[in-house]
Amino acid sequence: MPVHESAALRALIDDRYGDLVARCRVAGVPLHDDAGVAERIRRTLLASDFAFDVWCRQPQLLAPQGLERLRSGSDAGARIDALKLPGDEAACMQALRRFRHAEALRLVFRDVNGLDELPETLSATSVLYEALLGVALDWSEHALATRYGHSRMHDGARQRLLVIGFGKLGGSELNFSSDIDLVLAYPHAGQTDGARPLDNSEYFIRLGRQLVRLLNEPTVDGICARVDLRLRPFGNAGRLALSFAAMEQYYQSEGRDWERYAWIKARPVAGDTAAGKQLQELLRPFVYRKYLDYTAFAGLREMKALIDAEVVRKDLADNLKLGPGGIREIEFIVQLTQLIRGGREPSLRVRGLLPALTACEARGHIAAARARMLREAYVLLRRVENRVQMLRDAQTHDIPDDLLSRERIALSLDYPDWGTLDAALAKHRAIVSEEFAAVLMPQGGRAASVPAADMVLWQRACDESLDASVLEASGFVPAAELAEALLKLPQAASVRAMSARSRERLDHLMPQLFGAARATAAPVPSLLRLCRLMQAVARRSSYLALLEEQPAARKRLVRLFGDSAFLAERVIAQPLLLDDVLDPRIDQLPFKRADIAAEIARVLTTLDEREAEAELDRINEFKASTAFRLGLAFNDGRADAVATARRLAALAESVVGAVLALAERELVAQHGRLPGDGSGFSVLGYGSLGGEELGFASDLDLVFVYDGRRAQALSDGPRPIEGSRWYQRLAQRVMNWLTVLTRGGRLYEVDARLRPDGSKGLLVSSLDAFAAYQKSRAWTWEHQALLRARPVAGDAALHAELAKVRRDTLAVPRERAAVLAEVSSMRSRWRAERDRSDERQLDLKQGHGGLLDIEFALQGLVLAHASQHPGLLGVTANAGLIEACRAAALLDATQAAILTVAHADLLQRSLACTLDLRPRIAPRDAQLEQLCASVRGVTDALGFVFGASGGAG
């Protein structure tokens, strides 16, 4: 035993050793604790709670024969043939898990007792899972054969499933409690030869599911292997198994840079391994290009940015795998060289990290001194990672927080205490971080020269000797507020707490930001906001590194901070959005509701656990990111106002749908489902959401409706409730989750006052009550609101019934003069209460000739004429209503053109005000006055009397 263990640790080991001796005595297992046996058992107990648990479950492993198995230098492949799996599935799963536990115990025993070096431990772990995959696949094939026979190609030849191992399994360097990344494939199309033949595609999907079930499904004995199939083509949305031809087509047309990195380590691990070599040859041109491929830098930066965002999002700075200076950065350094040069140098096409590092060193691509430092860091990080996982068989890369666990890890690695090990880790991680930064340094990055004058400005700010006159002389006018901000930045607590490396990055970055801000149209506002951003990310070294190393993105960020106060504030509040500024795929946005919904679903599948709070956080991050990118596109002139507002509405609609699905899932878990098809619940979007004209800071007007035929029905869950209460709780949960404040802010502000009877009414109405209210009690202004309403989430069948209610309500014949009078009266009242126009400025929304004049005029025309022109009820967006009214001859071509141009221009100005954090009020320039005058001319000609704005006629 180590001589410096604490009293608490010594007591823990003594107690557990005594417990094992007693268990062996009860089970009749002879335990001979001489010849160093006791010492090795106690050292294993020092390192692993998992080992203690396995010994408690299988005390026979402490008998002489069991200990001989633990000491054996042969890996699991030497014993797998002796494993006879029962035909019964449950018994088979138990046998697999007990075998895995015994073999994993052997890995712990040999590792902590110094019988294996790290490469042997990682290799033996990989062999264990390959062996388990092999026997589990054999069992699964036999189980399916009784029903479906065996897979055949068109020529009648038999074929088997190919299981491809990725990541550390593919590299034969699997950590102790890692998941195993697999992709499933088969050579050719065809069908099975059994009594119930299946197409090969369906057969191999069923076979894959059975294989995963045997290994991954939790039982009383735990799981056998954590299986991850998300690396397959199209991820979770893709088929579980694909033919070789389909895979080749996918990677040729759809393959992404990160998939090239993934395939570096891929290798056949079970099934038809001979065919696997053929597949790898087919895909070699995708992975390794024929030329020196420096585009690999962009792919690596993209992956690193995503990882850095995840590190910040989950506070993983100390994560052994993903954190700065961690295992992933070492892998990236080596894999980058492999991808750039592997097409021309086959010797670099090796899978494991250490062999690949040796190959890169041998070819002179990584200097010997650098290779040695990387190798030493990798070995230490992987040894610590393995000990962390061996402690409790947990799939984690985070060092435990408690002192006892840290002491156990340190002593098991022959360090005298945790502090010494922690210092060693910090030293190596600093080296890795520095090496990684050097690899990714583009021209104009860290090596770029900075004007000496700007370096002096920042130095004077740090020395507290900067004053406004110096800043004004350098181009920042007026400079009083900026000088104060720059003097405060180095003294901020977050900056003072920075590591030396992070502070070095900040000191190098700030002078570059001076120069970039000076080149914008608004140097002072830009640099003021950048100072706040630097303070916000001071403790997030990855963001500083990204800004420092990517000059083009840095320039884009600085320009954005000068152009848009709103978007700048979003980045400062949510630095995660820096990834969206830096992302080279900034223009590749999902615009349609279905595409956005699919992307939200994909994002949620990346969560380790499907838990409501985590899912809401991820939805919030996605919403913020997408809205921010839409803001960037609008700000840069790449999208007009009408398209941007429509896309913002589609985003909100998708978010409401995702939150509703989450709320329904949680409610079903508590109370079960109500009888009937579908949920019987619908969310109606009113206002700017229903009208597909959402702004960057708009709230959502929502109304909730349910199928009243289920009001008295009971749900079928463990805590059944009546349908009316079920729907009330569902609506409340949707409201709460849309508005709750999370780490990323809140999704939306929600206004539900447009429901029947307003704030005095129930939050959720039955369909019949909704229809009755609209028919007999609703005011004209409520029918105006209903014109913009549309279902945005929920039950499609109920959507159809609501559409009929809306159509029947709005298509009632009305007297034109009465409608125009009521609409004019309501518009005049709103203007009197809300119009902020004066002689110099116009309220773009409420002002005379503004957006609401256009909206009210269109609503009045539709209400007055929908009975004769039902097609008017088919659209809710103002731009669409203008065209619909023109088609129905309610507007002539000139009037329609005037309203179209005015609507787009006013909306453009309105969104621009939001992006500049200004009220939607604009100076009365000649163009704006002419625009509003033309709108007033149209509304007057149509018979509306909307009155005048304050200060203008």
Side-chain angles (χ1 to χ4, degrees), residues 178-241:
S178 175
D179 56 0
I180 53 175
D181 295 305
L182 305 178
V183 168
L184 309 180
Y186 56 94
H188 300 287
Q191 68 177 26
T192 62
D193 59 4
R196 296 167 57 190
L198 286 177
D199 181 82
N200 277 348
S201 61
E202 179 62 25
Y203 167 79
F204 285 115
I205 288 174
R206 296 191 185 192
L207 179 60
R209 287 174 180 159
Q210 177 63 63
L211 172 65
V212 173
R213 174 179 166 80
L214 286 182
L215 299 174
N216 196 68
E217 182 163 308
T219 72
V220 294
D221 297 298
I223 64 172
C224 186
R226 301 174 180 88
V227 179
D228 190 338
L229 297 171
R230 290 177 296 176
L231 291 182
R232 67 185 186 270
F234 300 110
N236 283 341
R239 295 181 68 82
L240 204 64

Side-chain angles (χ1 to χ4, degrees), residues 489-629:
L489 178 59
Q491 307 307 318
S494 58
V495 174
R496 291 201 309 269
M498 294 173 77
S499 67
R501 179 69 178 127
S502 295
R503 181 55 193 262
E504 180 189 346
R505 283 181 171 142
L506 180 67
D507 290 341
H508 191 267
L509 179 60
M510 285 303 300
Q512 298 182 67
L513 295 180
F514 289 159
R518 192 181 290 110
T520 69
V524 172
S526 176
L527 193 51
L528 275 170
R529 294 161 188 157
L530 286 165
C531 287
R532 293 173 56 212
L533 176 65
M534 291 303 101
Q535 187 168 339
V537 301
R539 294 178 180 174
R540 303 179 182 186
S541 179
S542 57
Y543 284 146
L544 292 173
L546 289 168
L547 286 171
E548 182 188 27
E549 294 168 2
Q550 300 198 38
R554 182 171 63 245
K555 182 179 179 181
R556 180 183 179 88
L557 175 72
V558 175
R559 185 175 68 249
L560 174 70
F561 271 41
D563 291 346
S564 174
F566 178 85
L567 294 179
E569 291 298 327
R570 296 284 72 74
V571 175
I572 294 167
Q574 294 177 267
L576 192 65
L577 295 175
L578 275 172
D579 294 337
D580 297 307
V581 181
L582 305 177
D583 191 342
R585 302 169 304 161
I586 196 79
D587 301 321
Q588 299 177 12
L589 280 171
F591 289 140
K592 296 180 180 178
R593 192 244 187 243
D595 295 337
I596 297 173
E599 185 64 13
I600 291 177
R602 185 200 66 77
V603 166
L604 292 181
T605 62
T606 64
L607 288 169
D608 295 332
E609 296 182 5
R610 299 300 292 268
E611 190 270 330
E613 183 178 356
E615 291 186 60
L616 282 174
D617 281 340
R618 192 59 59 89
I619 292 171
N620 206 318
E621 290 169 5
F622 174 84
K623 178 257 179 179
S625 170
T626 305
F628 182 78
R629 290 182 179 218

Side-chain angles (χ1 to χ4, degrees), residues 26 35 109 181 196 276 328-329 379 494 513 550 717 735 738 763 815 895 952:
V26 171
F109 186 90
D181 295 305
R196 296 167 57 190
R328 183 55 54 85
E329 289 190 354
V379 169
S494 58
L513 295 180
Q550 300 198 38
M735 284 278 290
L738 283 172
L763 180 61
E815 185 180 344
Q895 291 171 326

Side-chain angles (χ1 to χ4, degrees), residues 827 830-831 836 842-847 850-853 910 920:
R827 181 70 196 97
W830 275 28
R831 172 165 294 120
R836 296 169 292 179
L842 178 81
D843 188 324
L844 295 169
K845 181 177 181 180
Q846 297 285 352
L851 285 168
L852 278 186
D853 279 10
S910 180
R920 287 181 289 187

Side-chain angles (χ1 to χ4, degrees), residues 671-676 709-717 719-726:
H671 301 293
R673 297 184 182 278
L674 292 172
R709 292 164 292 193
R710 309 187 201 186
Q712 304 302 318
L714 284 177
S715 60
D716 62 3
R719 295 162 54 195
I721 57 175
E722 285 188 345
S724 57
R725 291 179 62 203
W726 195 95

Side-chain angles (χ1 to χ4, degrees), residues 783-937:
H783 286 170
Q784 287 181 246
L786 187 63
L787 278 169
R788 304 193 86 191
R790 63 188 177 89
V792 295
D795 188 331
L798 186 59
H799 289 351
E801 294 186 78
L802 279 166
K804 184 178 185 303
V805 169
R806 176 180 177 273
R807 188 167 57 250
D808 292 346
T809 300
L810 298 176
V812 171
R814 304 168 195 258
E815 185 180 344
R816 187 178 190 277
V819 170
L820 267 60
E822 288 189 58
V823 170
S824 296
S825 175
M826 178 57 68
R827 181 70 196 97
S828 297
R829 187 187 313 167
W830 275 28
R831 172 165 294 120
E833 296 172 353
R834 307 178 186 184
D835 188 1
R836 296 169 292 179
S837 302
D838 57 30
E839 293 182 355
R840 296 185 303 277
Q841 299 181 111
L842 178 81
D843 188 324
L844 295 169
K845 181 177 181 180
Q846 297 285 352
H848 199 189
L851 285 168
L852 278 186
D853 279 10
I854 298 173
E855 184 177 314
F856 270 59
L858 293 171
Q859 291 170 356
L861 288 177
V862 174
L863 286 177
H865 298 282
S867 60
Q868 295 86 30
H869 303 282
L872 293 172
L873 301 176
V875 290
T876 60
N878 287 327
L881 284 174
I882 294 171
E883 175 55 29
C885 288
R886 186 204 62 76
L890 304 179
L891 294 171
D892 61 34
T894 300
Q895 291 171 326
I898 289 172
L899 294 184
T900 298
V901 170
H903 173 257
D905 189 282
L906 290 168
L907 188 59
Q908 186 88 10
R909 292 171 184 257
S910 180
L911 290 182
C913 285
T914 301
L915 287 188
D916 203 29
L917 285 180
R918 292 182 286 111
R920 287 181 289 187
I921 301 174
R924 290 180 178 275
D925 58 48
Q927 181 184 3
L928 182 59
E929 291 283 31
Q930 176 59 42
L931 203 69
C932 293
S934 65
V935 171
R936 294 195 295 270

Side-chain angles (χ1 to χ4, degrees), residues 421-456:
L421 174 56
D422 190 36
L425 281 171
K427 172 188 173 184
H428 285 292
R429 294 185 73 152
I431 291 171
V432 172
S433 287
E434 186 171 353
E435 290 298 321
F436 185 74
V439 166
L440 281 191
M441 186 191 304
Q443 185 174 2
R446 294 197 75 248
S449 60
V450 178
D454 288 335
M455 296 178 68
V456 170

Side-chain angles (χ1 to χ4, degrees), residues 218-285:
T219 72
V220 294
D221 297 298
I223 64 172
C224 186
R226 301 174 180 88
V227 179
D228 190 338
L229 297 171
R230 290 177 296 176
L231 291 182
R232 67 185 186 270
F234 300 110
N236 283 341
R239 295 181 68 82
L240 204 64
L242 288 177
S243 69
F244 287 8
M247 293 192 76
E248 183 180 23
Q249 181 179 4
Y250 168 83
Y251 288 112
Q252 284 181 348
S253 59
E254 305 282 347
R256 290 159 289 183
D257 283 329
W258 69 262
E259 289 172 305
R260 295 179 59 208
Y261 280 88
W263 272 92
I264 290 176
K265 290 189 176 183
R267 69 182 175 92
V269 293
D272 195 345
T273 55
K277 295 178 181 178
Q278 301 172 15
L279 177 62
Q280 288 188 291
E281 190 60 25
L282 276 176
L283 299 181
R284 185 186 59 76

